[in-house]
Amino acid sequence: MEIKTTQNNFPHSKNIKNIIQRTSILDVLGDIDFYFGGGFAVALMYAPREEENNLLLCKNYYSDIDLFFKDQQSLNKAIDLLNALRATNKLRKVCETENAITYEFYAFLEEAPFPEIYNLQLIKKYIGTPSQILSTFDILNSRILYSHKEDCWYTDANYFNYQSAKKISLTDSTPLLDVNNTEYPNSIFFQLERLSKYIQRYDLELDQKSLMKLIKIQRQIPDLSFEKNEKVIVRGYYSSYSKYVSSTFNVWLAFINIFKNNSNWNTIKKYMNGIDEEAICKMESSNENSMH
């Protein structure tokens, strides 16, 4: 993987800095070398801003603010600083796993009666250079880091080309699709969910290589499904979550829009096992009925 370094000299670079400053994170951790990554970094670059306030990213374009660190010493210093704040009203520790520490971080603004709340996640699992960190990401379109100290971006060399072409691609690092993953095949659900999230947010479509990779898996386990009231536990990259399924569904049909809305759909649909127009119509009809 080739890494590209780009100075933060985009037309909206000042806006990016102001949004970060508004979170108050740099007031606490600004002296530490770290990178903003994940959905927040993508949103800083591409997400629309709220109409009434361009210092607010539109909702649902990111959930956590992921911070990555160059070395263990920097991570430890960040942990110490945030732990010291736990005695105040500026944050609350939510959970800690072997992969990350999650906090609710409160930014108090003079013009607002209530603080803005951010889910701040310190990543313990991956520490190192931008190349080492980005090589672990499962989606090329999330391979982006912003260094506030250097005021520059680190990306996969193909990142901006894919974003401009409105394409999304799986990388060679996709543990959720690995048969050796202890959560496989349930982990496929989480991978499809992640892809669907990026596709919907930024109006993207899977590239041909990624499509064929998923179709190959679909042909092997076309009946992958969850039963009504079944508890689903999925371990992601930095944390895990569980939820109860409210209805019976086939995983592939649940995320059929990833495939159906692709410009190659008419060519690829014949390769999918047990997925035909009748099955799709039944699923869509079931979804509509469940809404009434």
Side-chain angles (χ1 to χ4, degrees), residues 217-261:
I217 298 172
Q218 191 275 336
R219 289 175 63 84
Q220 294 169 347
I221 43 176
D223 298 324
L224 178 61
S225 62
F226 292 116
E227 300 299 322
K228 186 175 182 179
N229 297 325
E230 181 178 355
K231 187 176 183 180
V232 182
I233 300 176
V234 184
R235 287 176 174 80
Y237 289 88
Y238 316 126
S239 60
S240 64
Y241 69 88
S242 64
K243 60 183 176 183
Y244 281 94
V245 176
S246 58
S247 60
T248 300
F249 66 88
N250 176 282
V251 169
W252 302 105
L253 279 172
F255 293 101
I256 193 61
N257 283 343
I258 291 177
F259 306 93
K260 186 181 176 184
N261 293 340

mmCIF file of all heavy atoms in Angstrom, residues 217-261:
data_model
loop_
_atom_site.group_PDB
_atom_site.id
_atom_site.type_symbol
_atom_site.label_atom_id
_atom_site.label_comp_id
_atom_site.label_asym_id
_atom_site.label_seq_id
_atom_site.Cartn_x
_atom_site.Cartn_y
_atom_site.Cartn_z
ATOM 1 N N ILE A 217 -18.503 -15.149 -1.560
ATOM 2 C CA ILE A 217 -18.897 -15.573 -0.213
ATOM 3 C C ILE A 217 -20.386 -15.879 -0.182
ATOM 4 O O ILE A 217 -20.825 -16.868 0.429
ATOM 5 C CB ILE A 217 -18.548 -14.482 0.820
ATOM 6 C CG1 ILE A 217 -17.036 -14.249 0.850
ATOM 7 C CG2 ILE A 217 -19.055 -14.867 2.210
ATOM 8 C CD1 ILE A 217 -16.620 -13.061 1.700
ATOM 9 N N GLN A 218 -21.186 -15.044 -0.854
ATOM 10 C CA GLN A 218 -22.636 -15.254 -0.875
ATOM 11 C C GLN A 218 -22.989 -16.593 -1.503
ATOM 12 O O GLN A 218 -23.912 -17.290 -1.050
ATOM 13 C CB GLN A 218 -23.310 -14.106 -1.639
ATOM 14 C CG GLN A 218 -24.830 -14.047 -1.516
ATOM 15 C CD GLN A 218 -25.552 -14.941 -2.521
ATOM 16 O OE1 GLN A 218 -25.018 -15.284 -3.579
ATOM 17 N NE2 GLN A 218 -26.772 -15.328 -2.176
ATOM 18 N N ARG A 219 -22.277 -16.988 -2.513
ATOM 19 C CA ARG A 219 -22.543 -18.264 -3.176
ATOM 20 C C ARG A 219 -22.210 -19.450 -2.264
ATOM 21 O O ARG A 219 -22.815 -20.510 -2.353
ATOM 22 C CB ARG A 219 -21.739 -18.361 -4.473
ATOM 23 C CG ARG A 219 -22.245 -17.420 -5.577
ATOM 24 C CD ARG A 219 -21.343 -17.471 -6.805
ATOM 25 N NE ARG A 219 -21.326 -18.801 -7.407
ATOM 26 C CZ ARG A 219 -22.244 -19.246 -8.266
ATOM 27 N NH1 ARG A 219 -23.245 -18.465 -8.629
ATOM 28 N NH2 ARG A 219 -22.139 -20.455 -8.783
ATOM 29 N N GLN A 220 -21.257 -19.227 -1.349
ATOM 30 C CA GLN A 220 -20.861 -20.296 -0.427
ATOM 31 C C GLN A 220 -21.857 -20.450 0.717
ATOM 32 O O GLN A 220 -22.124 -21.574 1.169
ATOM 33 C CB GLN A 220 -19.461 -20.007 0.126
ATOM 34 C CG GLN A 220 -18.361 -20.046 -0.916
ATOM 35 C CD GLN A 220 -17.041 -19.504 -0.400
ATOM 36 O OE1 GLN A 220 -16.982 -18.872 0.663
ATOM 37 N NE2 GLN A 220 -15.975 -19.734 -1.144
ATOM 38 N N ILE A 221 -22.409 -19.331 1.206
ATOM 39 C CA ILE A 221 -23.365 -19.377 2.318
ATOM 40 C C ILE A 221 -24.568 -18.474 2.010
ATOM 41 O O ILE A 221 -24.762 -17.444 2.656
ATOM 42 C CB ILE A 221 -22.700 -18.977 3.661
ATOM 43 C CG1 ILE A 221 -21.791 -17.748 3.477
ATOM 44 C CG2 ILE A 221 -21.954 -20.124 4.278
ATOM 45 C CD1 ILE A 221 -21.203 -17.254 4.784
ATOM 46 N N PRO A 222 -25.360 -18.866 1.013
ATOM 47 C CA PRO A 222 -26.490 -18.018 0.605
ATOM 48 C C PRO A 222 -27.588 -17.912 1.658
ATOM 49 O O PRO A 222 -28.379 -16.973 1.636
ATOM 50 C CB PRO A 222 -27.003 -18.712 -0.660
ATOM 51 C CG PRO A 222 -26.616 -20.143 -0.481
ATOM 52 C CD PRO A 222 -25.280 -20.086 0.211
ATOM 53 N N ASP A 223 -27.656 -18.868 2.570
ATOM 54 C CA ASP A 223 -28.741 -18.902 3.555
ATOM 55 C C ASP A 223 -28.358 -18.260 4.879
ATOM 56 O O ASP A 223 -29.043 -18.465 5.892
ATOM 57 C CB ASP A 223 -29.196 -20.343 3.799
ATOM 58 C CG ASP A 223 -29.758 -20.993 2.535
ATOM 59 O OD1 ASP A 223 -30.411 -20.270 1.756
ATOM 60 O OD2 ASP A 223 -29.523 -22.193 2.327
ATOM 61 N N LEU A 224 -27.291 -17.491 4.913
ATOM 62 C CA LEU A 224 -26.878 -16.817 6.143
ATOM 63 C C LEU A 224 -28.012 -15.918 6.615
ATOM 64 O O LEU A 224 -28.449 -15.010 5.909
ATOM 65 C CB LEU A 224 -25.623 -15.989 5.888
ATOM 66 C CG LEU A 224 -25.087 -15.179 7.076
ATOM 67 C CD1 LEU A 224 -24.703 -16.091 8.228
ATOM 68 C CD2 LEU A 224 -23.902 -14.323 6.644
ATOM 69 N N SER A 225 -28.514 -16.175 7.822
ATOM 70 C CA SER A 225 -29.674 -15.411 8.287
ATOM 71 C C SER A 225 -29.689 -15.347 9.804
ATOM 72 O O SER A 225 -28.946 -16.066 10.490
ATOM 73 C CB SER A 225 -30.970 -16.048 7.779
ATOM 74 O OG SER A 225 -31.110 -17.364 8.291
ATOM 75 N N PHE A 226 -30.559 -14.494 10.314
ATOM 76 C CA PHE A 226 -30.811 -14.388 11.741
ATOM 77 C C PHE A 226 -32.287 -14.595 11.986
ATOM 78 O O PHE A 226 -33.137 -14.128 11.216
ATOM 79 C CB PHE A 226 -30.372 -13.017 12.277
ATOM 80 C CG PHE A 226 -28.882 -12.806 12.257
ATOM 81 C CD1 PHE A 226 -28.317 -11.819 11.465
ATOM 82 C CD2 PHE A 226 -28.046 -13.599 13.011
ATOM 83 C CE1 PHE A 226 -26.948 -11.614 11.441
ATOM 84 C CE2 PHE A 226 -26.669 -13.406 12.998
ATOM 85 C CZ PHE A 226 -26.122 -12.426 12.210
ATOM 86 N N GLU A 227 -32.613 -15.284 13.063
ATOM 87 C CA GLU A 227 -33.999 -15.572 13.393
ATOM 88 C C GLU A 227 -34.574 -14.500 14.320
ATOM 89 O O GLU A 227 -33.843 -13.861 15.071
ATOM 90 C CB GLU A 227 -34.114 -16.949 14.059
ATOM 91 C CG GLU A 227 -33.613 -18.100 13.194
ATOM 92 C CD GLU A 227 -34.395 -18.243 11.904
ATOM 93 O OE1 GLU A 227 -35.624 -18.040 11.954
ATOM 94 O OE2 GLU A 227 -33.787 -18.537 10.868
ATOM 95 N N LYS A 228 -35.848 -14.326 14.269
ATOM 96 C CA LYS A 228 -36.528 -13.342 15.102
ATOM 97 C C LYS A 228 -36.208 -13.570 16.575
ATOM 98 O O LYS A 228 -36.192 -14.707 17.048
ATOM 99 C CB LYS A 228 -38.042 -13.417 14.879
ATOM 100 C CG LYS A 228 -38.830 -12.334 15.598
ATOM 101 C CD LYS A 228 -40.307 -12.403 15.219
ATOM 102 C CE LYS A 228 -41.085 -11.286 15.893
ATOM 103 N NZ LYS A 228 -42.518 -11.313 15.536
ATOM 104 N N ASN A 229 -35.936 -12.471 17.285
ATOM 105 C CA ASN A 229 -35.621 -12.470 18.714
ATOM 106 C C ASN A 229 -34.268 -13.120 19.029
ATOM 107 O O ASN A 229 -33.973 -13.406 20.181
ATOM 108 C CB ASN A 229 -36.715 -13.147 19.538
ATOM 109 C CG ASN A 229 -38.034 -12.411 19.430
ATOM 110 O OD1 ASN A 229 -38.059 -11.193 19.340
ATOM 111 N ND2 ASN A 229 -39.120 -13.151 19.414
ATOM 112 N N GLU A 230 -33.471 -13.342 17.997
ATOM 113 C CA GLU A 230 -32.135 -13.885 18.219
ATOM 114 C C GLU A 230 -31.183 -12.760 18.600
ATOM 115 O O GLU A 230 -31.207 -11.674 18.018
ATOM 116 C CB GLU A 230 -31.631 -14.578 16.955
ATOM 117 C CG GLU A 230 -30.241 -15.201 17.099
ATOM 118 C CD GLU A 230 -29.801 -15.924 15.834
ATOM 119 O OE1 GLU A 230 -30.612 -16.018 14.894
ATOM 120 O OE2 GLU A 230 -28.655 -16.392 15.800
ATOM 121 N N LYS A 231 -30.355 -13.001 19.596
ATOM 122 C CA LYS A 231 -29.381 -12.009 20.009
ATOM 123 C C LYS A 231 -28.144 -12.124 19.132
ATOM 124 O O LYS A 231 -27.540 -13.189 19.015
ATOM 125 C CB LYS A 231 -28.987 -12.205 21.477
ATOM 126 C CG LYS A 231 -28.087 -11.089 22.026
ATOM 127 C CD LYS A 231 -27.809 -11.290 23.509
ATOM 128 C CE LYS A 231 -26.983 -10.138 24.067
ATOM 129 N NZ LYS A 231 -26.696 -10.312 25.506
ATOM 130 N N VAL A 232 -27.785 -11.022 18.510
ATOM 131 C CA VAL A 232 -26.646 -10.992 17.613
ATOM 132 C C VAL A 232 -25.505 -10.258 18.305
ATOM 133 O O VAL A 232 -25.663 -9.122 18.748
ATOM 134 C CB VAL A 232 -26.988 -10.261 16.294
ATOM 135 C CG1 VAL A 232 -25.788 -10.286 15.366
ATOM 136 C CG2 VAL A 232 -28.190 -10.903 15.632
ATOM 137 N N ILE A 233 -24.369 -10.912 18.421
ATOM 138 C CA ILE A 233 -23.180 -10.292 19.007
ATOM 139 C C ILE A 233 -22.131 -10.191 17.909
ATOM 140 O O ILE A 233 -21.768 -11.192 17.300
ATOM 141 C CB ILE A 233 -22.632 -11.098 20.193
ATOM 142 C CG1 ILE A 233 -23.686 -11.205 21.303
ATOM 143 C CG2 ILE A 233 -21.359 -10.451 20.736
ATOM 144 C CD1 ILE A 233 -23.251 -12.057 22.471
ATOM 145 N N VAL A 234 -21.685 -8.996 17.657
ATOM 146 C CA VAL A 234 -20.714 -8.781 16.601
ATOM 147 C C VAL A 234 -19.513 -8.038 17.161
ATOM 148 O O VAL A 234 -19.668 -7.024 17.828
ATOM 149 C CB VAL A 234 -21.320 -7.966 15.437
ATOM 150 C CG1 VAL A 234 -20.312 -7.844 14.313
ATOM 151 C CG2 VAL A 234 -22.591 -8.622 14.934
ATOM 152 N N ARG A 235 -18.339 -8.556 16.911
ATOM 153 C CA ARG A 235 -17.115 -7.898 17.347
ATOM 154 C C ARG A 235 -16.506 -7.153 16.167
ATOM 155 O O ARG A 235 -16.159 -7.760 15.161
ATOM 156 C CB ARG A 235 -16.129 -8.914 17.927
ATOM 157 C CG ARG A 235 -16.570 -9.408 19.299
ATOM 158 C CD ARG A 235 -15.670 -10.496 19.853
ATOM 159 N NE ARG A 235 -16.050 -10.820 21.224
ATOM 160 C CZ ARG A 235 -17.064 -11.607 21.548
ATOM 161 N NH1 ARG A 235 -17.809 -12.132 20.593
ATOM 162 N NH2 ARG A 235 -17.352 -11.850 22.808
ATOM 163 N N GLY A 236 -16.416 -5.871 16.300
ATOM 164 C CA GLY A 236 -15.866 -5.059 15.240
ATOM 165 C C GLY A 236 -14.364 -4.905 15.401
ATOM 166 O O GLY A 236 -13.687 -5.765 15.949
ATOM 167 N N TYR A 237 -13.849 -3.777 14.965
ATOM 168 C CA TYR A 237 -12.410 -3.567 14.996
ATOM 169 C C TYR A 237 -11.911 -3.090 16.356
ATOM 170 O O TYR A 237 -10.830 -3.458 16.797
ATOM 171 C CB TYR A 237 -12.030 -2.573 13.897
ATOM 172 C CG TYR A 237 -12.176 -3.194 12.536
ATOM 173 C CD1 TYR A 237 -13.394 -3.135 11.863
ATOM 174 C CD2 TYR A 237 -11.124 -3.884 11.956
ATOM 175 C CE1 TYR A 237 -13.544 -3.742 10.628
ATOM 176 C CE2 TYR A 237 -11.267 -4.488 10.720
ATOM 177 C CZ TYR A 237 -12.480 -4.412 10.066
ATOM 178 O OH TYR A 237 -12.626 -5.026 8.852
ATOM 179 N N TYR A 238 -12.698 -2.250 17.013
ATOM 180 C CA TYR A 238 -12.245 -1.687 18.279
ATOM 181 C C TYR A 238 -13.176 -2.009 19.433
ATOM 182 O O TYR A 238 -12.836 -1.778 20.585
ATOM 183 C CB TYR A 238 -12.112 -0.164 18.157
ATOM 184 C CG TYR A 238 -11.455 0.273 16.877
ATOM 185 C CD1 TYR A 238 -12.070 1.184 16.031
ATOM 186 C CD2 TYR A 238 -10.219 -0.243 16.492
ATOM 187 C CE1 TYR A 238 -11.482 1.577 14.843
ATOM 188 C CE2 TYR A 238 -9.623 0.144 15.300
ATOM 189 C CZ TYR A 238 -10.259 1.049 14.490
ATOM 190 O OH TYR A 238 -9.671 1.428 13.308
ATOM 191 N N SER A 239 -14.380 -2.498 19.150
ATOM 192 C CA SER A 239 -15.345 -2.778 20.203
ATOM 193 C C SER A 239 -16.326 -3.823 19.706
ATOM 194 O O SER A 239 -16.254 -4.277 18.571
ATOM 195 C CB SER A 239 -16.093 -1.488 20.593
ATOM 196 O OG SER A 239 -16.783 -0.966 19.468
ATOM 197 N N SER A 240 -17.245 -4.207 20.579
ATOM 198 C CA SER A 240 -18.280 -5.158 20.191
ATOM 199 C C SER A 240 -19.632 -4.617 20.621
ATOM 200 O O SER A 240 -19.724 -3.757 21.490
ATOM 201 C CB SER A 240 -18.032 -6.525 20.837
ATOM 202 O OG SER A 240 -18.117 -6.433 22.239
ATOM 203 N N TYR A 241 -20.670 -5.099 19.982
ATOM 204 C CA TYR A 241 -22.007 -4.695 20.380
ATOM 205 C C TYR A 241 -22.948 -5.869 20.178
ATOM 206 O O TYR A 241 -22.652 -6.818 19.459
ATOM 207 C CB TYR A 241 -22.486 -3.480 19.581
ATOM 208 C CG TYR A 241 -22.749 -3.747 18.116
ATOM 209 C CD1 TYR A 241 -24.000 -4.186 17.690
ATOM 210 C CD2 TYR A 241 -21.760 -3.554 17.157
ATOM 211 C CE1 TYR A 241 -24.258 -4.424 16.348
ATOM 212 C CE2 TYR A 241 -21.999 -3.793 15.825
ATOM 213 C CZ TYR A 241 -23.258 -4.229 15.423
ATOM 214 O OH TYR A 241 -23.500 -4.468 14.090
ATOM 215 N N SER A 242 -24.077 -5.819 20.822
ATOM 216 C CA SER A 242 -25.082 -6.867 20.664
ATOM 217 C C SER A 242 -26.436 -6.214 20.484
ATOM 218 O O SER A 242 -26.680 -5.100 20.959
ATOM 219 C CB SER A 242 -25.098 -7.793 21.881
ATOM 220 O OG SER A 242 -25.489 -7.082 23.042
ATOM 221 N N LYS A 243 -27.308 -6.905 19.780
ATOM 222 C CA LYS A 243 -28.667 -6.421 19.614
ATOM 223 C C LYS A 243 -29.569 -7.603 19.304
ATOM 224 O O LYS A 243 -29.108 -8.651 18.844
ATOM 225 C CB LYS A 243 -28.752 -5.368 18.508
ATOM 226 C CG LYS A 243 -28.323 -5.844 17.125
ATOM 227 C CD LYS A 243 -28.391 -4.668 16.157
ATOM 228 C CE LYS A 243 -27.889 -5.040 14.780
ATOM 229 N NZ LYS A 243 -27.892 -3.895 13.853
ATOM 230 N N TYR A 244 -30.852 -7.421 19.603
ATOM 231 C CA TYR A 244 -31.824 -8.464 19.316
ATOM 232 C C TYR A 244 -32.454 -8.190 17.952
ATOM 233 O O TYR A 244 -32.855 -7.074 17.647
ATOM 234 C CB TYR A 244 -32.905 -8.512 20.394
ATOM 235 C CG TYR A 244 -32.458 -9.231 21.647
ATOM 236 C CD1 TYR A 244 -31.913 -8.520 22.717
ATOM 237 C CD2 TYR A 244 -32.556 -10.617 21.748
ATOM 238 C CE1 TYR A 244 -31.484 -9.165 23.859
ATOM 239 C CE2 TYR A 244 -32.127 -11.271 22.898
ATOM 240 C CZ TYR A 244 -31.608 -10.545 23.945
ATOM 241 O OH TYR A 244 -31.174 -11.194 25.082
ATOM 242 N N VAL A 245 -32.534 -9.240 17.157
ATOM 243 C CA VAL A 245 -33.153 -9.142 15.850
ATOM 244 C C VAL A 245 -34.662 -9.192 16.029
ATOM 245 O O VAL A 245 -35.192 -10.084 16.691
ATOM 246 C CB VAL A 245 -32.679 -10.298 14.944
ATOM 247 C CG1 VAL A 245 -33.394 -10.258 13.601
ATOM 248 C CG2 VAL A 245 -31.172 -10.230 14.753
ATOM 249 N N SER A 246 -35.362 -8.228 15.442
ATOM 250 C CA SER A 246 -36.809 -8.138 15.642
ATOM 251 C C SER A 246 -37.600 -8.936 14.613
ATOM 252 O O SER A 246 -38.802 -9.120 14.764
ATOM 253 C CB SER A 246 -37.257 -6.673 15.595
ATOM 254 O OG SER A 246 -36.904 -6.096 14.359
ATOM 255 N N SER A 247 -36.932 -9.383 13.563
ATOM 256 C CA SER A 247 -37.620 -10.187 12.564
ATOM 257 C C SER A 247 -36.628 -11.121 11.892
ATOM 258 O O SER A 247 -35.419 -10.890 11.915
ATOM 259 C CB SER A 247 -38.279 -9.289 11.513
ATOM 260 O OG SER A 247 -37.302 -8.509 10.858
ATOM 261 N N THR A 248 -37.137 -12.177 11.308
ATOM 262 C CA THR A 248 -36.277 -13.120 10.614
ATOM 263 C C THR A 248 -35.843 -12.518 9.279
ATOM 264 O O THR A 248 -36.661 -11.987 8.542
ATOM 265 C CB THR A 248 -37.029 -14.438 10.360
ATOM 266 O OG1 THR A 248 -37.422 -14.987 11.616
ATOM 267 C CG2 THR A 248 -36.148 -15.435 9.631
ATOM 268 N N PHE A 249 -34.551 -12.592 8.971
ATOM 269 C CA PHE A 249 -34.100 -12.050 7.695
ATOM 270 C C PHE A 249 -32.850 -12.748 7.199
ATOM 271 O O PHE A 249 -32.043 -13.254 7.975
ATOM 272 C CB PHE A 249 -33.853 -10.540 7.789
ATOM 273 C CG PHE A 249 -32.710 -10.157 8.702
ATOM 274 C CD1 PHE A 249 -31.412 -10.084 8.238
ATOM 275 C CD2 PHE A 249 -32.947 -9.858 10.042
ATOM 276 C CE1 PHE A 249 -30.365 -9.719 9.078
ATOM 277 C CE2 PHE A 249 -31.914 -9.496 10.884
ATOM 278 C CZ PHE A 249 -30.613 -9.426 10.399
ATOM 279 N N ASN A 250 -32.747 -12.800 5.888
ATOM 280 C CA ASN A 250 -31.543 -13.275 5.228
ATOM 281 C C ASN A 250 -30.574 -12.100 5.155
ATOM 282 O O ASN A 250 -30.942 -10.994 4.733
ATOM 283 C CB ASN A 250 -31.879 -13.777 3.822
ATOM 284 C CG ASN A 250 -30.643 -14.206 3.045
ATOM 285 O OD1 ASN A 250 -29.907 -13.376 2.529
ATOM 286 N ND2 ASN A 250 -30.438 -15.507 2.955
ATOM 287 N N VAL A 251 -29.346 -12.316 5.577
ATOM 288 C CA VAL A 251 -28.370 -11.228 5.661
ATOM 289 C C VAL A 251 -28.125 -10.588 4.297
ATOM 290 O O VAL A 251 -28.049 -9.360 4.169
ATOM 291 C CB VAL A 251 -27.046 -11.743 6.262
ATOM 292 C CG1 VAL A 251 -25.940 -10.701 6.114
ATOM 293 C CG2 VAL A 251 -27.236 -12.106 7.726
ATOM 294 N N TRP A 252 -28.021 -11.398 3.260
ATOM 295 C CA TRP A 252 -27.735 -10.864 1.932
ATOM 296 C C TRP A 252 -28.897 -10.031 1.401
ATOM 297 O O TRP A 252 -28.689 -8.981 0.786
ATOM 298 C CB TRP A 252 -27.409 -12.008 0.972
ATOM 299 C CG TRP A 252 -26.250 -12.816 1.438
ATOM 300 C CD1 TRP A 252 -26.282 -14.070 2.008
ATOM 301 C CD2 TRP A 252 -24.865 -12.434 1.426
ATOM 302 N NE1 TRP A 252 -25.013 -14.481 2.339
ATOM 303 C CE2 TRP A 252 -24.121 -13.510 1.987
ATOM 304 C CE3 TRP A 252 -24.182 -11.305 0.976
ATOM 305 C CZ2 TRP A 252 -22.744 -13.463 2.118
ATOM 306 C CZ3 TRP A 252 -22.797 -11.263 1.101
ATOM 307 C CH2 TRP A 252 -22.090 -12.333 1.667
ATOM 308 N N LEU A 253 -30.114 -10.503 1.682
ATOM 309 C CA LEU A 253 -31.278 -9.738 1.256
ATOM 310 C C LEU A 253 -31.410 -8.435 2.049
ATOM 311 O O LEU A 253 -31.858 -7.412 1.528
ATOM 312 C CB LEU A 253 -32.548 -10.567 1.413
ATOM 313 C CG LEU A 253 -32.840 -11.563 0.290
ATOM 314 C CD1 LEU A 253 -34.013 -12.467 0.664
ATOM 315 C CD2 LEU A 253 -33.123 -10.839 -1.020
ATOM 316 N N ALA A 254 -31.010 -8.484 3.315
ATOM 317 C CA ALA A 254 -31.091 -7.281 4.154
ATOM 318 C C ALA A 254 -30.221 -6.161 3.594
ATOM 319 O O ALA A 254 -30.538 -4.978 3.760
ATOM 320 C CB ALA A 254 -30.677 -7.613 5.576
ATOM 321 N N PHE A 255 -29.137 -6.535 2.938
ATOM 322 C CA PHE A 255 -28.224 -5.535 2.373
ATOM 323 C C PHE A 255 -28.205 -5.608 0.846
ATOM 324 O O PHE A 255 -27.201 -5.270 0.215
ATOM 325 C CB PHE A 255 -26.812 -5.730 2.937
ATOM 326 C CG PHE A 255 -26.699 -5.426 4.398
ATOM 327 C CD1 PHE A 255 -26.671 -6.457 5.333
ATOM 328 C CD2 PHE A 255 -26.646 -4.121 4.852
ATOM 329 C CE1 PHE A 255 -26.577 -6.188 6.687
ATOM 330 C CE2 PHE A 255 -26.551 -3.837 6.201
ATOM 331 C CZ PHE A 255 -26.525 -4.878 7.125
ATOM 332 N N ILE A 256 -29.313 -6.017 0.255
ATOM 333 C CA ILE A 256 -29.361 -6.214 -1.197
ATOM 334 C C ILE A 256 -29.103 -4.925 -1.958
ATOM 335 O O ILE A 256 -28.617 -4.953 -3.102
ATOM 336 C CB ILE A 256 -30.721 -6.825 -1.619
ATOM 337 C CG1 ILE A 256 -30.653 -7.334 -3.058
ATOM 338 C CG2 ILE A 256 -31.849 -5.833 -1.418
ATOM 339 C CD1 ILE A 256 -29.628 -8.409 -3.291
ATOM 340 N N ASN A 257 -29.395 -3.768 -1.349
ATOM 341 C CA ASN A 257 -29.175 -2.502 -2.056
ATOM 342 C C ASN A 257 -27.708 -2.261 -2.380
ATOM 343 O O ASN A 257 -27.393 -1.533 -3.327
ATOM 344 C CB ASN A 257 -29.731 -1.335 -1.242
ATOM 345 C CG ASN A 257 -31.240 -1.239 -1.341
ATOM 346 O OD1 ASN A 257 -31.856 -1.818 -2.240
ATOM 347 N ND2 ASN A 257 -31.858 -0.522 -0.420
ATOM 348 N N ILE A 258 -26.813 -2.863 -1.614
ATOM 349 C CA ILE A 258 -25.390 -2.769 -1.929
ATOM 350 C C ILE A 258 -25.134 -3.316 -3.326
ATOM 351 O O ILE A 258 -24.299 -2.803 -4.078
ATOM 352 C CB ILE A 258 -24.546 -3.545 -0.891
ATOM 353 C CG1 ILE A 258 -24.588 -2.845 0.462
ATOM 354 C CG2 ILE A 258 -23.100 -3.703 -1.365
ATOM 355 C CD1 ILE A 258 -23.837 -3.585 1.552
ATOM 356 N N PHE A 259 -25.878 -4.363 -3.669
ATOM 357 C CA PHE A 259 -25.711 -5.022 -4.962
ATOM 358 C C PHE A 259 -26.683 -4.472 -6.009
ATOM 359 O O PHE A 259 -26.300 -4.158 -7.125
ATOM 360 C CB PHE A 259 -25.924 -6.532 -4.802
ATOM 361 C CG PHE A 259 -25.067 -7.156 -3.752
ATOM 362 C CD1 PHE A 259 -25.525 -7.303 -2.441
ATOM 363 C CD2 PHE A 259 -23.784 -7.582 -4.050
ATOM 364 C CE1 PHE A 259 -24.724 -7.871 -1.467
ATOM 365 C CE2 PHE A 259 -22.971 -8.157 -3.087
ATOM 366 C CZ PHE A 259 -23.444 -8.295 -1.780
ATOM 367 N N LYS A 260 -27.955 -4.341 -5.615
ATOM 368 C CA LYS A 260 -29.000 -3.953 -6.566
ATOM 369 C C LYS A 260 -28.796 -2.548 -7.121
ATOM 370 O O LYS A 260 -29.116 -2.280 -8.295
ATOM 371 C CB LYS A 260 -30.365 -4.045 -5.887
ATOM 372 C CG LYS A 260 -31.544 -3.797 -6.812
ATOM 373 C CD LYS A 260 -32.855 -3.891 -6.059
ATOM 374 C CE LYS A 260 -34.029 -3.557 -6.967
ATOM 375 N NZ LYS A 260 -35.315 -3.559 -6.217
ATOM 376 N N ASN A 261 -28.297 -1.637 -6.314
ATOM 377 C CA ASN A 261 -28.102 -0.257 -6.759
ATOM 378 C C ASN A 261 -26.776 -0.046 -7.470
ATOM 379 O O ASN A 261 -26.431 1.085 -7.828
ATOM 380 C CB ASN A 261 -28.203 0.698 -5.570
ATOM 381 C CG ASN A 261 -29.603 0.746 -4.993
ATOM 382 O OD1 ASN A 261 -30.572 0.374 -5.654
ATOM 383 N ND2 ASN A 261 -29.727 1.200 -3.747
#
